[in-house]
Amino acid sequence: MTNFSRRNFMALTVAAGAARVIPAAVQATKSRYILRLVYDKSIGAMRLIDKRIP
């Protein structure tokens, strides 16, 4: 095995963790937003309502 310094070991550990977590996080955020513009009688104005669809 090659000689790893503490700094190299920490960098390798963080890189391996990021390689595992980042693709899962990207897929989790793939969702759509549906926006609707509606008239709200209580305030007497138009309102924008957004809904996240997974």
Side-chain angles (χ1 to χ4, degrees), residues 32-38 47-53:
R32 296 184 319 168
Y33 280 94
I34 295 179
L35 299 174
R36 288 190 309 175
L37 190 62
V38 296
R47 246 179 38 170
L48 186 68
I49 299 175
D50 60 336
K51 188 184 286 189
R52 187 174 68 92
I53 306 293

Side-chain angles (χ1 to χ4, degrees), residues 5-29:
S5 68
R6 183 176 179 182
R7 181 177 291 178
N8 288 341
F9 178 75
M10 294 295 283
L12 182 66
T13 304
V14 169
R20 217 177 141 193
V21 171
I22 289 176
V26 168
Q27 277 199 342
T29 60

